[in-house]
Each structure stands twice: as C-alpha cells, then as structure tokens.
Amino acid sequence: MIMNDMKILQRLYTDKIFKIAVCLFAALTAIPLFAILGEVLIKGYSQLSWSFFTEPTPTAYKAMQAVAAGEPIPGGIANGIIGSVIMLGMATVVAVPIGILCGVYLAENSKKRFAIIVSYITDLLQGTPSVIIGIITYVWVVVPMKGYSAIAGSVALFIMMLPLIIRSTEETVKILPASLKEAGLALGGNNARVTLKVILPSAFGGIFTGILLAVSRVIGETAPLMFTALGCSFIRWDIDKPISAVPLLIWEFFNDPNLQELIWGASLFLLIFVLSLNLTAKYFAKKWNS
Amino acid sequence: MELVNPILEFKKTCVSYSKQTMAVKYVSAAIERNTITAIMGPSGCGKSTLLRAANLMHALYPNIRVDGEILLNGQNILSMEPIEVRRKIGMVFQRPTPFPTMSIYDNVLAGYSLNGIRLSKSERNEIVEKCLRNVALWDEVKDVLNKKGTFLSGGQQQRLCIARALAMKPEVLLMDEPTSALDPIATKHIEDLILELQKDVTILIVTHNMGQAKRISSRSMFMYLGDLVEYDDTEKMFSNPTDERTRAYLTGKMG
Ligand SMILES: Nc1ncnc2c1ncn2[C@@H]1O[C@H](COP(=O)(O)OP(=O)(O)OP(=O)(O)O)[C@@H](O)[C@H]1O
Ligand SMILES: [Mg+2]
C-alpha cells in the first residue's frame, strides 16, 4: 500500500519535472524570435511613417545631405513594395493553378511511376538553394530577354513557390476521406467534376493556407531577385524592365552607408508582412479543421 | 423462390483484392424489380465488396479484380462506362457522406451538377422539394436549405444522402448498412422510408441487423466467407433455412 503511494508520488514528481523542462525549452526557443522582433521593432519603429510607404528610395545625394544635416533620411520603400507585389502577384497567379493541379494529381495517383518521379522532382526543387534558382532563371529568362525584368523575377519566385503549393495541396487532398470521392463518383460524376466540385472545395482551407505560407516563404527571397529583377530606384510598373523589391532594398541600404537607417524600417515591414501572413494562414487552417 | 421480373443479376460474380484470395466467390443471384433484398452475413464475408462491385466502385482501385457478369436489364455493366452505370445504380454508404462544402439544397442537386446537367431555377426547386419530401426531411429543413449539409444530425444527413441518390432517379439503390451509424429512432425513420421507396426503385441493402432484414426485406441473401450460401424469401429463410450455416448465423450461434 505504502509502496504504491510512493510510486504514484514518484510518478507525479517525474511528471512535474518533465513538464517544467518542456516549458523551459519552449521558452528557450522563443527567445531568439522575440530578440529579433524586439531589435527590429525598436530600430525600425521610428522609420515608419506615411511617406515611408508612399515614396521611393532617396538618391544617394539627398540621403547624404540629410545625414550631414543630422535630419531623418527622406523617402521610403514604395518602389520595393510595388515591385514585390507585382512579382509575387504574377508568380502566384501562375503557380497556384499549376501547383494545385499537380498536387491533386500526386495525391490521387501516388503509386504511378510518373507521379513518383514528379514527387521526387518536387522534393529536389524544394531543397534547391535559392541562389541556384536565381542563376538558372538568369540563364533561361534574363539572357534570352536581353535584360533584367519583373518577369524574370517572378519566374524565379514561381519556381520557388511551386513545390510548396504542390506539397500542401497533395497533403491536404490525401487526408480527405476516400468516402468523399467515392460518394461523388457514386452519383455518376466524372473524375474532373468530382475533383473540381467536391475534392478541391473540401481541401480549400489547407490549400489556401499552403499558398499563404508559400508567399510568406518567398517574399523575403533576395538572392534569386539579384540575378533577375536587379532593382530600380524609382517606382515602376513595367514588367519588362528591372524592378525593385523590399528584400533587394534591404541589401542596397546595407551597401550604402548613408542609407543604413532605412534597413530597419524595411526589415520591420517585411517581418510584419510575413508574420501576418503566417497568422492568417494559421487562422484559416484552424477554422477549416473545425 | 420465384422471380417474375428481375432487374439486376449477378452471374458467377467474383471479386478479389489480391491474386491469392477472393473476397466474393462465384455469386449468382437475380434481384427482383421493385423489391427490397437484404444481404446478411458475418463481418468480412464480402457483403460490401459485392455491393460496391454493382456500383463499379472497384474501377477506382486498380488492384481490385471483378470477374463474371453483373447484368442490369440484361446488359453487362462490367463492360459499360462507370458513369453511365452509376447514374442508374445509386449507392448510399454506411456513414452519411454529405458534401461538406455544399448547402443542403446543393447536396440534393449534387448528382446533377456532378454530371454537368443544367437545370432551371424552378426545376431545381421542384427536385429539391420532391426529393426531400420523399425522404421525409422537407419539413425539418425547408427553412435552412442554405445551411451546410454537415450541420444536420446523423440521421438527417443519411436521409439527405438518400435524397441525393434518389434525385438522379436510379433504377437500383444499393445501401451498405445505411443505419448502422444511427440511433433507433433515426433507424426507424429510414426503414419506413425504404419501405415507401420500393415502389419506385429496387433496393439492395446490406444489414447486420437481422430484425431489420426481417422488417423490411422480402428476399434475403446469406453470405459466408465470400460464398452466397443461401438466397430465398426472407420469411422462408428466417423460419426454415436450408443451410446449416445460415441457421447458425440466424440463431446467433455464429458471429
Ligand atoms: N480495400 C481492401 N483491400 C483488401 N482487402 C479488402 C479490402 N476491403 C475488404 N477487403 C477484404 O475483403 C473481404 C470482404 O470484405 P467486405 O468489406 O466486403 O466485408 P463485409 O461483409 O462488408 O464486412 P462488414 O460487415 O464488416 O462490413 C474481407 O476479408 C476484407 O478483409
Ligand atoms: Mg461492409
């Protein structure tokens, strides 16, 4: 009897220690995140103003003047924001339908040889360093088009987003119960209509979450854009000319001693953007699962 | 047992999931038009497998092999287009499967939209009301037709699925334990409904519940390890089964 009580006590005790350890480690992993957020927030906060979002990057001369006079640096990152939106938009519009189709194909034919090969290529693509994707896009798009452009940049982002969308679609469709598809087919539907009207709507939550995560994953990509979009110091809407992007701006600001102040504002913008995309994705995933 | 006007006929139907074993072995049986036929037998004896073959569900899975013939009005469905067959032979599954993203209204019409058939607004309204009335669901849901089908209770969902199958005006309705996930009251509802339906459609129903088979079916099959052991008028089968295995099962001596 006493033995038993002792044992239970002991077990409760180990349980408690274990719990404390888990909490401790969880807190430890959270520290870097909060450190980064805090640093960027403190340094970038003072940069944020309306003009920061509506004006393009200042010229080196203006920035130098402001720095010399001890004033805040004029201008902002509007050229980068617009470039990022254009390139992400084009990449998403193409990557979403192709990625979804491919993901559905993989989910429904997982045993076919061709599907296995495609699946393997998807894995490889997902693991390919972004700098290599930049080089490849340079060779494939920039060289034949004889110049850097928003199109080339969006091709690079498209290649990076594609495997992410394929995987998330595949995974979401795979976990749908087989009974759903069977019920659709039992009513005499053909495969295409059942996929379009039953499978995809049921998987929408997961697919949408995957798209948001793919966007948030590539929005900060810098290397592939260096080879493709190049950058541009004023606001531009042409898709066949070099264009800027927020992560490219951060790199440029870093290289110009007079513009270094702007790094933090741009970083804060990117971080907030990525965080809100992630939170939206989480919210959707949760809402759809319940 | 006498057959006057058979609609569906299994002829030496065999189904196997792998080369080594057969889940359904040389089943031959004709199903009488506008009757309810029950399929009974212990778990794993091949009831679902046989039923699903009649809906050509095996076409989805390349590892499943079906041999022999299954005739619908004298035509072998195994060599017909699955889409065409499934419009004539509807299926209701064990678990209710309303399409989760569709409203109750759209669920009833799902067969049409999945077949790419366009209907006018008035036709749609008419079909929805008629089918939901047919399954005695209309009064319960007529004010919430735009809610999702999954919002209904289990029994209501199952009736919705029956309405959805009936909307396509099938000649045969296959039901795989349609009440096993439901409580007694919902079960009673569905049994009454099935009895009501037989004037329009031929029903082949798998059931584990002997009472249910007795209450609703006019003929019964008893399957055991893939064989069709006995097929007779329900009354005869329950009062005086021919085969020893049937007797053992019906008297509860076999799981
Ligand atoms: N998808 C499958 N792959 C391989 N074997 C299967 C599959 N489905 C069923 N079987 C096998 O086929 C046999 C018949 O199964 P079936 O589901 O038709 O039985 P059942 O009579 O419907 O049983 P229950 O009353 O439990 O639903 C069983 O031995 C089962 O293990
Ligand atoms: Mg079964």
Side-chain angles (χ1 to χ4, degrees):
Chain A
M1 190 64 198
I2 289 169
M3 256 316 270
N4 249 340
D5 281 357
M6 282 296 283
K7 262 195 186 140
I8 291 171
L9 254 174
Q10 207 173 3
R11 201 173 295 166
L12 282 176
Y13 202 60
T14 18
D15 213 40
K16 202 149 209 173
I17 290 179
F18 187 69
K19 258 190 196 149
I20 292 173
V22 167
C23 288
L24 211 70
F25 282 114
L28 271 177
T29 53
I31 287 175
L33 174 70
F34 284 109
I36 293 170
L37 266 179
E39 174 111 21
V40 174
L41 195 63
I42 289 164
K43 290 192 165 156
Y45 175 72
S46 58
Q47 278 290 320
L48 296 191
S49 65
W50 183 242
S51 63
F52 188 73
F53 298 107
T54 56
E55 284 176 25
T57 341
T59 58
Y61 179 69
K62 271 198 182 144
M64 208 164 70
Q65 271 185 326
V67 170
E71 290 167 3
I73 302 169
I77 57 168
N79 48 336
I81 295 178
I82 288 168
S84 281
V85 168
I86 289 178
M87 288 190 283
L88 277 173
M90 292 198 293
T92 310
V93 164
V94 185
V96 164
I98 298 179
I100 289 179
L101 279 180
C102 200
V104 170
Y105 173 79
L106 290 186
E108 301 204 331
N109 302 280
S110 55
K111 291 197 187 79
K112 287 204 181 127
R113 179 181 294 251
F114 182 65
I116 292 170
I117 295 172
V118 173
S119 175
Y120 191 66
I121 292 173
T122 308
D123 275 343
L124 278 179
L125 205 55
Q126 195 167 347
T128 307
S130 59
V131 68
I132 295 178
I133 289 175
I135 288 278
I136 297 284
T137 315
Y138 175 84
V139 174
W140 284 354
V141 185
V142 177
V143 173
M145 280 182 67
K146 299 194 174 65
Y148 299 97
S149 64
I151 294 179
S154 60
V155 169
L157 296 184
F158 159 78
I159 298 175
M160 299 209 64
M161 286 174 78
L162 197 58
L164 300 172
I165 297 180
I166 292 176
R167 277 277 170 265
S168 62
T169 304
E170 180 189 357
E171 250 125 62
T172 319
V173 171
K174 254 189 186 158
I175 57 169
L176 290 179
S179 59
L180 208 56
K181 187 178 175 196
E182 290 183 354
L185 290 172
L187 284 169
N190 63 20
N191 245 318
R193 287 211 187 86
V194 172
T195 302
L196 215 63
K197 296 189 171 165
V198 177
I199 303 293
L200 285 183
S202 306
F204 177 79
I207 295 175
F208 189 69
T209 305
I211 294 170
L212 289 185
L213 290 178
V215 171
S216 82
R217 173 74 186 67
V218 301
I219 192 177
E221 279 301 336
T222 322
L225 295 183
M226 288 175 166
F227 296 94
T228 52
L230 192 67
C232 173
S233 61
F234 50 90
I235 294 176
R236 179 183 253 170
W237 299 90
D238 316 71
I239 57 170
D240 56 347
K241 302 265 165 55
I243 203 164
S244 189
V246 179
L248 279 180
L249 285 182
I250 295 179
W251 174 243
E252 283 166 23
F253 296 158
F254 177 76
N255 285 320
D256 187 332
N258 292 312
L259 289 176
Q260 292 203 342
E261 283 290 297
L262 291 174
I263 289 177
W264 300 104
S267 303
L268 184 58
F269 171 80
L270 259 190
L271 257 183
I272 290 176
F273 200 95
V274 169
L275 275 182
S276 35
L277 271 179
N278 275 297
L279 288 178
T280 319
K282 274 241 163 65
Y283 170 79
F284 257 93
K286 208 178 209 169
K287 198 177 151 200
W288 228 262
N289 284 339
S290 59
Chain B
M1 187 184 59
E2 199 181 325
L3 284 167
V4 184
N5 186 7
I7 180 168
L8 191 70
E9 198 173 344
F10 296 97
K11 272 191 169 171
K12 295 191 182 145
T13 306
C14 303
V15 187
S16 45
Y17 290 98
S18 64
K19 286 206 177 70
Q20 299 85 13
T21 57
M22 240 187 237
V24 169
K25 302 170 189 159
Y26 300 97
V27 167
S28 291
I31 312 295
E32 179 72 9
R33 201 178 294 268
N34 291 58
T35 58
I36 299 169
T37 304
I39 308 180
M40 291 180 288
S43 191
C45 69
K47 305 180 296 289
S48 300
T49 305
L50 179 68
L51 206 66
R52 289 161 63 85
N55 190 243
L56 301 188
M57 264 309 146
H58 58 270
L60 276 178
Y61 306 95
N63 60 316
I64 307 181
R65 200 189 141 92
V66 178
D67 291 303
E69 288 179 313
I70 303 175
L71 306 179
L72 176 69
N73 296 320
Q75 249 193 316
N76 186 7
I77 61 168
L78 296 178
S79 52
M80 285 164 69
E81 267 302 307
I83 291 173
E84 202 182 325
V85 173
R86 292 181 191 135
R87 266 178 232 173
K88 293 178 182 159
I89 304 182
M91 176 115 174
V92 174
F93 297 86
Q94 178 168 1
R95 300 207 153 272
T97 50
F99 298 128
T101 56
M102 292 186 195
S103 65
I104 294 172
Y105 186 91
D106 290 336
N107 257 289
V108 178
L109 295 168
Y112 289 91
S113 59
L114 288 173
N115 278 293
I117 301 170
R118 291 190 187 284
L119 299 168
S120 71
K121 179 91 188 152
S122 63
E123 282 173 314
R124 286 199 302 255
N125 289 340
E126 196 181 311
I127 292 171
V128 169
E129 178 168 350
K130 183 167 160 270
C131 293
L132 289 176
R133 277 194 195 284
N134 253 341
V135 298
L137 196 58
W138 176 252
D139 291 325
E140 290 160 59
V141 304
K142 65 171 185 283
D143 300 320
V144 290
L145 288 174
N146 288 321
K147 289 224 174 170
K148 298 264 179 286
T150 40
F151 153 90
L152 299 170
S153 74
Q156 289 175 321
Q157 288 187 15
Q158 194 61 299
R159 276 182 282 159
L160 177 62
C161 291
I162 297 173
R164 184 174 71 185
L166 291 175
M168 297 311 289
K169 301 199 183 70
E171 295 177 41
V172 178
L173 189 60
L174 310 169
M175 305 177 107
D176 193 353
E177 302 186 46
T179 61
S180 64
L182 307 180
D183 66 60
I185 294 173
T187 299
K188 173 84 169 58
H189 265 293
I190 302 231
E191 286 181 8
D192 291 345
L193 166 66
I194 292 172
L195 281 169
E196 189 59 34
L197 288 175
Q198 66 178 317
K199 62 180 195 304
D200 301 317
V201 56
T202 307
I203 293 170
L204 189 54
I205 179 174
V206 170
T207 177
H208 260 135
N209 181 333
M210 286 175 240
Q212 182 169 67
K214 223 170 173 172
R215 281 191 297 274
I216 62 174
S217 72
S218 53
R219 286 141 205 272
S220 295
M221 295 184 191
F222 174 71
M223 290 182 70
Y224 187 65
L225 298 176
D227 291 311
L228 175 58
V229 172
E230 193 160 347
Y231 177 32
D232 213 332
D233 289 322
T234 303
E235 219 166 287
K236 161 91 174 21
M237 177 147 8
F238 275 90
S239 61
N240 187 17
T242 319
D243 196 282
E244 208 35 56
R245 291 167 291 180
T246 318
R247 187 183 302 274
Y249 181 76
L250 293 180
T251 51
K253 290 193 186 104
M254 178 202 286

